[in-house]
């Protein structure tokens, strides 16, 4: 049973006021708020359980190591992965995708080889591939989205040619909420012998994910959007792909032996985790994922679907709003512009006065903004603790903005 009032009480920040109004937090696409269990776990880790991991032989180091390492298994469970050694811990999706770019793609791709991307990608799933374009002549092949801003899996599969070495697509658009059929894309790409990277930064937040069912080679997640601490995250890497990778960041922990003449690397996944990690952040992420699994991601998805349907219904009654991306099965993420209104930043400032937190700008999605023919939008992105009343609060604040600009 999804008890929204009880869930809201788990997130202390939701009871604060902003600008004299109750906070209506609709910027979850950028970062989600943290439940008390995560805050407590972080506090406890620093007050009672803190030391560096892996290297010490003393009590606290062993305790911290045990707590930190157990999160690998929690993430594996959350993503439906049976072998926890296929999970590389890191600071988030950006680091995860860069690991694949530097560790897997750079040594393998040559001038003229192609990477297939959709125009809906976040810069974190674009810029690392631009590095390969600039430095070694790799070609980026872009797949457009449809008029209602969905991504046709067949269009992605058709874009794969003999020179394609990787498909890199998002599971869910951070701008529009559009959900991508990454399983169909993976099946089609694998039939052509091409691995698939999925940016799961948004996808894993809004729906149950079974990476083994999807079948993809790489699946990146980010902790701070999953109600965990910032600076935490992970990437699933299929063991066959991991075996093909060279290490990216060098330093302590990722080695077995170092001498003047040689270095012997640690076994994967540690081979790809150099230096002191985000120990406490990762411990907090483990608690956040346990919290989500206790709620049940099916229940989270069902609740957010109700919010989405209600919001779509409310938006439909406002002919002065241009909503981008109207697919009925999308996540509860809404990007829009207002007729006659100034910049999206002006709208978000007015909403802020009413205690409503949204994001305005290009949302780190330059190619999508070009495709949509806009420079910026306002984005209201809902999370598991949001309510239909908060949809109404958003609409009231938008009506005020519209009246001001009319
Ligand atoms: N990919 C998508 C779809 C995102 O929405 C984001 C963050 O907004 C990222 C990647 C990057 O995540 P992070 O900044 O946590 O590395």
């Amino acid at each position: 049973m999804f008890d929204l009032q009880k869930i809201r009480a788990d997130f202390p920040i939701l009871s604060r006021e902003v600008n004299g109004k109750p906070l209506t937090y609709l910027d979850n696409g950028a970062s989600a708020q943290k439940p008390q269990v995560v805050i407590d776990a972080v506090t406890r880790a620093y007050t009672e359980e803190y030391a560096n991991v892996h290297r010490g032989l003393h009590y606290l180091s062993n305790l911290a190591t045990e707590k930190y390492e157990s999160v690998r298994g929690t993430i594996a469970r959350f993503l439906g992965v049976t072998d926890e050694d296929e999970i590389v811990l890191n600071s988030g999706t950006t680091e995860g995708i860069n690991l694949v770019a530097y560790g897997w793609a750079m040594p393998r791709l040559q001038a003229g080889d192609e990477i297939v991307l959709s125009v809906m990608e976040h810069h974190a799933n674009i810029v690392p591939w631009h590095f390969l374009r600039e430095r070694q002549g790799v070609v980026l092949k872009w797949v457009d989205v449809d008029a209602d801003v969905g991504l046709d899996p067949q269009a992605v599969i058709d874009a794969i040619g003999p020179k394609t070495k990787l498909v890199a697509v998002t599971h869910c658009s951070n701008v529009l909420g559009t959900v991508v059929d990454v399983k169909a894309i993976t099946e089609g790409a694998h039939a052509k012998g091409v691995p698939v990277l999925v940016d799961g930064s948004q996808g894993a937040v809004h729906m149950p994910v079974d990476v083994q069912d999807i079948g993809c080679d790489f699946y990146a997640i980010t902790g701070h959007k999953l109600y965990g601490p910032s600076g935490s995250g992970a990437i699933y890497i299929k063991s066959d792909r991991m075996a093909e990778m060279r290490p990216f960041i060098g330093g302590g922990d990722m080695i077995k032996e170092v001498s003047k003449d040689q270095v012997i690397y640690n076994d994967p996944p540690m081979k790809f985790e150099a230096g002191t990690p985000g120990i406490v952040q990762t411990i907090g992420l483990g608690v956040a994922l346990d919290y989500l699994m206790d709620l049940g991601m099916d229940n989270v998805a069902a609740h957010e679907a109700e919010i989405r349907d209600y919001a779509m219904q409310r938006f439909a009654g406002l002919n002065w709003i241009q909503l981008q991306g109207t697919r009925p099965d999308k996540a509860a993420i809404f990007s829009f512009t207002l007729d006659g209104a100034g910049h999206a930043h002006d709208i978000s400032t007015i909403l802020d006065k009413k205690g409503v937190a949204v994001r305005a700008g290009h949302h780190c999605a330059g190619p999508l903004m070009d495709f949509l023919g806009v420079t910026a939008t306002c984005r209201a992105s809902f999370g598991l603790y949001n309510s239909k009343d908060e949809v109404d609060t958003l609409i009231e604040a938008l009506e005020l903005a519209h009246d001001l600009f009319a």
Side-chain angles (χ1 to χ4, degrees):
M1 148 90 174
F2 197 84
D3 183 343
L4 188 58
Q5 284 323 309
K6 186 169 170 297
I7 289 167
R8 287 184 67 80
D10 289 339
F11 290 80
I13 204 167
L14 297 181
S15 57
R16 71 159 287 171
E17 293 195 339
V18 166
N19 291 325
K21 308 278 180 211
L23 169 66
T24 301
Y25 187 76
L26 303 180
D27 195 17
N28 297 284
S31 204
Q33 301 298 347
K34 320 304 170 199
Q36 189 67 50
V37 279
V38 169
I39 299 166
D40 289 346
V42 167
T43 307
R44 190 170 54 245
Y46 277 126
T47 48
E48 293 171 35
E49 299 164 347
Y50 185 77
N52 208 335
V53 289
H54 299 141
R55 297 162 212 180
L57 289 174
H58 58 85
Y59 176 83
L60 278 182
S61 178
N62 288 337
L63 181 62
T65 303
E66 208 177 285
K67 294 245 166 188
Y68 173 80
E69 276 299 326
S70 74
V71 179
R72 212 182 287 282
T74 309
I75 295 170
R77 257 189 304 124
F78 182 73
L79 293 178
V81 172
T82 41
D83 179 2
E84 66 176 57
D85 285 346
E86 293 185 315
I87 303 294
V88 175
L89 300 172
N90 58 28
S91 62
T93 297
T94 302
E95 188 181 334
I97 297 177
N98 274 275
L99 169 64
V100 178
Y102 280 89
W104 186 83
M106 255 182 204
R108 308 172 73 76
L109 273 62
Q110 291 167 5
D113 284 343
E114 296 163 358
I115 298 175
V116 170
L117 303 167
S118 88
V119 295
M120 211 163 52
E121 302 310 314
H122 185 280
H123 294 168
N125 195 24
I126 297 177
V127 180
W129 313 123
H130 269 307
F131 289 169
L132 272 83
R133 181 189 59 74
E134 286 175 348
R135 295 172 196 180
Q136 43 201 86
V138 166
V139 176
L140 305 188
K141 233 174 155 179
W142 296 93
V143 180
D144 274 347
V145 280
D146 304 336
D148 64 352
V149 205
L151 181 64
D152 176 8
Q154 197 53 48
V156 178
I157 296 161
D158 290 346
I160 299 172
K163 297 222 120 207
T164 304
K165 294 292 188 294
L166 180 70
V167 171
V169 284
T170 190
H171 198 176
C172 172
S173 162
N174 63 307
V175 182
L176 313 155
T178 308
V179 176
V180 174
D181 188 347
V182 285
K183 183 174 177 180
I185 290 174
T186 303
E187 281 169 2
H190 282 182
K192 293 184 170 185
V194 175
V196 176
L197 175 142
V198 178
D199 173 349
S201 191
Q202 300 286 341
V205 179
H206 299 294
M207 59 193 126
V209 171
D210 184 333
V211 163
Q212 278 169 197
D213 181 54
I214 295 169
C216 60
D217 300 80
F218 309 96
Y219 193 98
I221 59 168
T222 212
H224 66 97
K225 297 187 205 281
L226 284 159
Y227 309 92
S230 56
S232 66
I235 183 164
Y236 158 80
I237 303 179
K238 203 179 257 180
S239 57
D240 298 354
R241 297 284 91 73
M242 223 189 263
E244 294 166 351
M245 282 171 57
R246 72 178 184 199
F248 165 32
I249 297 175
D253 250 22
M254 50 81 75
I255 48 86
K256 280 185 179 156
E257 273 179 49
V258 181
S259 66
K260 282 185 181 160
D261 305 321
Q262 69 159 359
V263 46
I264 301 173
Y265 299 119
N266 220 328
D267 297 325
M270 299 271 299
K271 184 177 177 181
F272 305 105
E273 298 174 358
T276 300
I279 301 164
V280 175
Q281 294 92 318
T282 302
I283 291 170
L285 172 59
V287 174
L289 297 184
D290 277 334
Y291 179 85
L292 288 174
M293 287 188 278
D294 283 351
L295 286 180
M297 285 306 291
D298 280 323
N299 296 328
V300 169
H303 169 70
E304 290 185 13
E306 265 186 46
I307 300 279
R308 172 202 61 212
D309 292 348
Y310 182 64
M312 292 285 257
Q313 197 187 314
R314 293 291 328 257
F315 276 122
L318 309 175
N319 61 8
W320 37 268
I321 279 192
Q322 290 80 47
L323 195 59
Q324 305 285 357
T326 49
R327 288 180 77 94
D329 60 349
K330 69 188 211 145
I333 300 176
F334 302 93
S335 270
F336 50 83
T337 48
L338 260 60
D339 270 356
H343 195 276
H345 288 142
D346 300 331
I347 302 165
S348 102
T349 306
I350 294 167
L351 299 190
D352 187 47
K353 294 273 177 286
K354 295 285 170 193
V356 180
V358 298
R359 188 145 291 246
H362 56 54
H363 315 294
C364 296
L368 180 61
M369 293 290 122
D370 291 344
F371 178 86
L372 298 173
V374 294
T375 51
T377 66
C378 261
R379 179 187 70 183
S381 51
F382 291 77
L384 62 84
Y385 37 62
N386 289 122
S387 65
K388 288 184 187 167
D389 287 349
E390 290 181 302
V391 174
D392 292 337
T393 307
L394 168 69
I395 300 289
E396 268 169 40
L398 285 171
E399 279 167 340
L400 174 77
H402 177 242
D403 290 348
L404 282 172
F405 284 110

